């Protein structure tokens, strides 16, 4: 949008606002109801942001885009437009006009405060309007999915998914063509990027969860984003998948056979790591991909008879995601901390079946805790101590065989505490994490083994351990 066009729109909205503020529901003014209602037709279009105003709409630099004069002007127009819609709605409720579905979608654009075009003012106005017509929104969410969202994603299809949202049993092998990178094939990444918060709102508004009617309207758009080459859109797709899957019945997912398709779509995201992927984008993506996989795994394999498939599912995530990630990008402390955190989550999901990874996980966590430069990022040490607790809690029948490795990490980290330059609060959290890990290791050792005696014997030359030993009764 050009500044002249935005200025003209603002002036027009100001005139309509002034007119509506002076209008009353007298017989004279009611004659102009139809004339007032016509304003809805252009206002819902005027408040939809365009890509040229927010070129970095999904980047960490969203605050900088607001400094763009045209972007700032559009934000003023959107706030004014929502105020005018509110005034019109008091006179002619938008749920009774022909453009009601389009108006609802335009209002939903401002329901995500992380978007650069959403301010406190237009967010509050949008929430108030949607709350006022909550029943209408719930009743017409399928129309929004069908008439607004579906056409925008129509040019991008997943060869593994049918039009009805079922798995294609024998998909054609299709490699990426040059058209996959053209703007016109993915309008949802460019001129219609505003559709993302509308999808998020639509999923949230599904009162009775996902059913046979809404499933094929949501799955293709979300999978398109997960399959995209841009890490930010992959992350948004994973985030939407998490929200979507939490409203999906087990029977529906099983009947459509898309569990494996979704799994295969998310897994490549786990290897979007530095240096090929910028660290900030990698962290943003991984923080959404792993929770999406956890939700998917719990939904796909919730029956008691699915224990083998469940074990294999989380085993693949741990092996092909976390362990490979640490191998490729473990030198990056932020990535390492995020991946180590996943060890705690995944071993919890795997339970006793995590014992097959003890020989790898315990030395890895011990090395992390005893690393000489661990003090540069204390969060990594805290996460490693927490992961060690989870590994021992879930694999306790066999984990105690590796108590020597575990204690190596705990004791070295404890002795290095005095040399770690961190805040008082972080130090207390780290001390507690190490102490709790020590307690869990101690509790896993059978009673016929005098664990404390062997520990004191091997560590008698090491100072500063009395406070750690005293936390566990002999």
């Amino acid at each position: 949008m050009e500044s002249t066009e935005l200025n003209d729109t603002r002036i027009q909205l100001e005139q309509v606002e002034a007119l509506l503020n002076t209008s009353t529901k007298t017989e004279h003014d009611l004659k102009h109801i139809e004339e007032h209602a016509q304003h809805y037709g252009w206002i819902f279009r005027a408040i939809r942001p365009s890509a040229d105003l927010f070129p970095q709409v999904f980047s960490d630099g969203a605050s900088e885009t607001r400094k763009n004069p045209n972007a700032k002007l559009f934000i003023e127009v959107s706030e004014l437009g929502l105020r005018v819609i509110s005034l019109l709605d008091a006179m002619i409720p938008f749920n009774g006009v022909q453009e009601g579905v389009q108006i609802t979608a335009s209002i939903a654009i401002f329901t995500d405060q992380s978007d650069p075009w959403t301010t406190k003012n237009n967010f509050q106005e949008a929430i108030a309007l949607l709350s006022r017509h909550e029943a209408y929104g719930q009743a017409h969410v399928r129309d929004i999915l069908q008439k607004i969202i579906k056409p925008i994603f129509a040019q991008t299809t997943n060869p593994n998914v049918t039009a009805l949202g079922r798995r294609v049993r024998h998909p054609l092998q299709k490699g990426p063509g040059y058209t996959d990178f053209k703007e016109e094939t993915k309008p949802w990444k460019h001129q219609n990027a505003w559709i993302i918060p509308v999808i998020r709102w639509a999923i949230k508004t599904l009162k009775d969860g996902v059913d046979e009617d809404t499933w094929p309207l949501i799955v293709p758009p979300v999978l398109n984003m997960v399959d995209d080459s841009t890490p930010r859109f992959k992350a948004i797709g994973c985030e939407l998948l998490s929200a979507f899957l939490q409203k999906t019945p087990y029977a529906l997912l099983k009947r459509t056979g898309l569990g494996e398709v979704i799994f295969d779509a998310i897994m490549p995201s786990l290897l979007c790591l530095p240096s090929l992927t910028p660290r900030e984008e990698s962290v943003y993506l991984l923080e959404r991909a792993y929770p999406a996989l956890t939700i998917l795994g719990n939904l796909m394999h919730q029956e008691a008879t699915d224990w083998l498939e469940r074990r294999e599912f989380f085993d693949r995530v741990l092996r092909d995601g976390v362990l490979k990630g640490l191998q490729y990008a473990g030198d990056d402390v932020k990535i390492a901390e995020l991946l180590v955190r996943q060890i705690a989550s995944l071993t919890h999901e795997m339970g006793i079946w995590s014992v097959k990874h003890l020989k790898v996980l315990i030395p890895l966590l011990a090395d992390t805790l005893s690393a000489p430069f661990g003090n540069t990022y204390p969060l990594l040490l805290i996460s490693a101590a927490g992961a060690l607790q989870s590994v021992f809690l879930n694999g306790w029948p066999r984990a105690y065989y590796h108590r020597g490795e575990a204690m190596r990490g705990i004791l070295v980290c404890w002795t290095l505490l005095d040399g770690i330059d961190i805040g008082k609060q972080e130090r207390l959290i780290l001390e507690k994490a190490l102490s709790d890990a020590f307690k869990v290791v101690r509790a896993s050792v059978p009673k016929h083994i005098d664990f404390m005696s062997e520990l004191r014997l091997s560590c008698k030359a090491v100072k500063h351990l009395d406070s750690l030993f005293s936390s566990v009764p002999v």
Side-chain angles (χ1 to χ4, degrees):
M1 288 186 181
E2 299 292 335
S3 58
T4 52
E5 183 183 351
L6 287 168
N7 271 314
D8 290 344
T9 303
R10 181 177 61 180
I11 293 169
Q12 194 174 359
L13 284 168
E14 287 172 346
Q15 292 172 346
V16 175
E17 183 182 33
L19 176 65
L20 293 174
N21 277 326
T22 57
S23 296
T24 60
K25 289 191 175 182
T26 64
E27 183 179 350
H28 175 268
D29 287 324
L30 288 173
K31 293 178 181 179
H32 300 283
I33 286 283
E34 289 186 9
E35 183 179 321
H36 290 324
Q38 292 176 4
H39 292 304
Y40 278 127
W42 63 270
I43 293 175
F44 82 77
R45 293 184 179 89
I47 62 174
R48 290 180 177 177
S50 59
D52 58 325
L53 292 173
F54 302 94
Q56 297 179 337
V57 65
F58 295 110
S59 75
D60 292 331
S63 59
E64 280 72 26
T65 63
R66 287 188 180 176
K67 296 177 183 178
N68 181 302
N70 288 347
K72 185 177 180 180
L73 184 56
F74 170 80
I75 290 171
E76 293 175 10
V77 167
S78 69
E79 292 180 349
L80 184 56
L82 287 171
R83 287 204 307 271
V84 171
I85 288 176
S86 185
L87 290 170
L88 281 170
D89 184 62
M91 185 178 293
I92 318 144
F94 67 77
N95 62 351
V97 302
Q98 186 177 355
E99 301 93 345
V101 169
Q102 292 283 357
I103 295 165
T104 302
S106 290
I107 296 171
I109 292 170
F110 303 95
T111 55
D112 189 341
Q113 289 182 290
S114 66
D115 290 324
W117 52 70
T118 302
T119 64
K120 181 180 179 181
N121 291 335
N122 57 28
F123 172 77
Q124 291 177 344
E125 197 74 66
I127 295 298
L129 282 165
L130 292 171
S131 299
R132 196 183 302 171
H133 299 288
E134 184 177 2
Y136 177 83
Q138 291 174 348
H140 290 80
V141 67
R142 188 180 185 281
D143 291 332
I144 291 174
L145 290 166
Q146 177 76 47
K147 298 175 181 178
I148 301 175
I149 295 173
K150 184 178 178 179
I152 291 176
F153 287 84
Q155 295 184 61
T156 316
T157 58
N158 189 311
N160 297 307
V161 183
T162 69
L164 294 177
R166 264 56 175 178
R167 181 179 183 178
V168 176
R169 294 300 173 187
H170 304 287
L172 296 174
Q173 295 298 319
K174 176 189 173 186
Y178 78 96
T179 54
D180 294 339
F181 302 97
K182 296 176 71 174
E183 285 192 20
E184 55 266 32
T185 64
K186 295 186 177 183
W188 46 272
K189 282 186 67 176
H190 305 285
Q191 67 268 29
N192 293 326
W194 51 265
I195 201 67
I196 306 299
V198 180
I199 299 174
R200 188 178 286 114
W201 172 85
I203 294 172
K204 185 179 180 181
T205 307
L206 291 171
K207 185 179 180 181
D208 299 321
V210 180
D211 56 23
E212 293 279 358
D213 292 332
T214 52
W215 173 267
L217 299 175
I218 298 177
V219 168
V222 173
L223 282 182
N224 279 336
M225 282 183 268
V226 175
D227 283 334
D228 192 67
S229 59
T230 308
R232 285 279 164 178
F233 278 94
K234 281 182 175 291
I236 293 166
C238 290
E239 184 182 330
L240 293 174
L241 260 179
S242 294
F244 168 62
L245 290 172
Q246 289 181 75
K247 292 196 170 188
T248 301
Y250 166 75
L252 179 58
L253 181 66
K254 187 172 184 179
R255 190 161 59 250
T256 59
L258 282 188
E260 281 296 326
V261 174
I262 296 173
F263 178 81
D264 291 339
I266 301 175
M267 283 300 289
S269 299
L270 305 187
L271 294 182
C272 290
L273 302 164
S275 59
L276 294 178
T277 303
R279 176 204 279 177
E280 292 75 15
E281 293 186 8
S282 179
V283 170
Y284 187 83
L285 172 55
L286 295 177
E287 284 181 339
R288 287 152 180 80
Y290 278 106
L293 284 167
T294 300
I295 293 169
L296 175 64
N298 285 322
L299 179 61
M300 285 177 66
H301 309 301
Q302 59 182 249
E303 296 289 325
T305 54
D306 294 340
W307 65 270
L308 181 60
E309 291 82 1
R310 177 185 175 84
R311 184 188 74 180
E312 291 175 351
F313 181 99
F314 288 108
D315 181 75
R316 284 181 63 187
V317 176
L318 179 61
R319 184 183 66 247
D320 298 337
V322 174
L323 296 180
K324 278 190 178 178
L326 286 168
Q327 179 183 352
Y328 295 146
D331 291 339
D332 188 306
V333 289
K334 284 192 175 180
I335 297 294
E337 189 274 329
L338 189 154
L339 294 176
V340 165
R341 220 185 319 136
Q342 305 312 313
I343 293 175
S345 173
L346 292 169
T347 50
H348 172 73
E349 296 295 341
M350 295 174 73
I352 189 62
W353 301 110
S354 62
V355 293
K356 67 177 292 186
H357 297 287
L358 292 178
K359 290 183 179 180
V360 174
L361 292 179
I362 294 177
L364 185 153
L365 294 172
D367 288 342
T368 301
L369 288 169
S370 59
F373 302 107
N375 59 346
T376 59
Y377 200 64
L379 278 178
L380 176 58
L381 301 178
I382 294 169
S383 295
L388 193 61
Q389 292 178 51
S390 181
V391 169
F392 268 81
L393 282 170
N394 289 285
W396 62 270
R398 303 290 298 174
Y400 77 92
Y401 286 108
H402 305 274
R403 62 189 181 278
E405 278 290 298
M407 290 311 303
R408 173 175 66 86
I410 294 171
L411 295 175
V412 171
C413 189
W414 188 272
T415 58
L416 294 175
L417 276 175
D418 289 339
I420 299 179
D421 184 19
I422 57 176
K424 182 179 178 181
Q425 190 64 29
E426 279 186 323
R427 180 180 294 274
L428 290 174
I429 294 172
L430 178 54
E431 286 179 353
K432 186 178 186 308
L434 291 170
S435 178
D436 289 345
F438 180 35
K439 291 175 184 177
V440 171
V441 173
R442 172 67 185 91
S444 72
V445 180
K447 292 183 178 180
H448 69 270
I449 298 176
D450 191 350
F451 174 69
M452 295 303 293
S453 293
E454 71 177 27
L455 189 60
R456 290 183 186 279
L457 182 64
S458 61
C459 300
K460 60 183 180 180
V462 184
K463 301 178 180 179
H464 314 300
L465 296 180
D466 290 343
S467 56
L468 175 62
F469 290 165
S470 63
S471 65
V472 179
V474 180

